[in-house]
Amino acid sequence: MNKLSPELLAYIEEIGLYHEQQGASRIAGRILGLLMVTEGTLSAEQIATALQVSLGSVSTNMRLLLQSGHVEKKSITGDRITYYIYSENALEREFLASIERVHSLKKTIEKGAQIQDVNENEIISKRFVEMDRGIEYFLDSLNELLNRWRAQR
């Protein structure tokens, strides 16, 4: 692996901070950032060295990234080392995760709308109806975005 420029290192850190703000670990975000700017595959050891983190930390976070579909394992014939690469479907997975989060919010709002105290108060009831409509609009937009993304690939 080539030495990373200060600009790339700053970008990788920015990706890490973004993912931390989204509830993931900063190291997972930094791993994603590194793989995003790497053309080929990297081993866990190469990732740990490049990011100056422990191999255990890479291993722990890599399991999460593999589960989420953002990263894929690759092997090389005759080489016992496992390599990792940024998944070509990572952005689509991100779209799907966003849609799932909004569906979850919609279910929670619908549950709240069924509470008797909410229904008995016109202002609060109207608030829940408005939230539900907004969420439905947002879901339609996300699904349209996903379909457009898939069509252009």
Side-chain angles (χ1 to χ4, degrees):
M1 174 179 180
N2 297 332
K3 185 175 163 101
L4 297 168
S5 70
E7 188 175 25
L8 277 178
L9 287 170
Y11 180 74
I12 289 166
E13 186 61 30
E14 190 173 333
I15 294 291
L17 290 170
Y18 168 79
H19 281 82
E20 184 177 51
Q21 290 171 345
Q22 301 306 311
S25 77
R26 186 183 304 187
I27 300 251
R30 291 177 67 210
I31 291 169
L32 277 177
L34 176 62
L35 292 174
M36 285 170 65
V37 300
T38 302
E39 187 175 333
T41 59
L42 294 175
S43 69
E45 293 81 7
Q46 289 172 310
I47 293 168
T49 300
L51 299 178
Q52 299 179 353
V53 297
S54 73
L55 196 53
S57 185
V58 170
S59 177
T60 298
N61 285 282
M62 194 58 76
R63 279 194 294 278
L64 299 172
L65 294 171
L66 288 165
Q67 285 177 335
S68 71
H70 287 84
V71 173
E72 296 174 4
K73 278 185 181 183
K74 296 289 180 182
S75 61
I76 299 172
T77 304
D79 192 341
R80 294 176 33 196
I81 297 173
T82 299
Y83 294 91
Y84 303 94
I85 192 166
Y86 188 77
S87 173
E88 291 182 18
N89 296 318
L91 188 56
E92 183 170 330
R93 298 251 186 196
E94 201 63 41
F95 290 156
L96 290 168
S98 294
I99 290 169
E100 184 55 40
R101 282 190 298 271
V102 175
H103 270 295
S104 179
L105 176 60
K106 183 172 175 47
K107 288 178 187 175
T108 303
I109 296 300
E110 289 171 347
K111 183 178 179 180
Q114 300 302 313
I115 297 172
Q116 184 176 350
D117 294 335
V118 169
N119 285 312
E120 290 175 353
N121 184 305
E122 185 178 339
I123 293 171
I124 295 173
S125 179
K126 183 177 178 183
R127 182 181 300 152
F128 274 77
V129 168
E130 185 69 21
M131 285 189 292
D132 189 57
R133 269 200 316 249
I135 291 169
E136 192 62 42
Y137 178 77
F138 190 49
L139 276 172
D140 289 345
S141 298
L142 288 173
N143 281 307
E144 181 182 334
L145 174 66
L146 178 59
N147 290 332
R148 287 175 48 203
W149 170 253
R150 287 175 172 162
Q152 68 87 33
R153 289 188 84 198

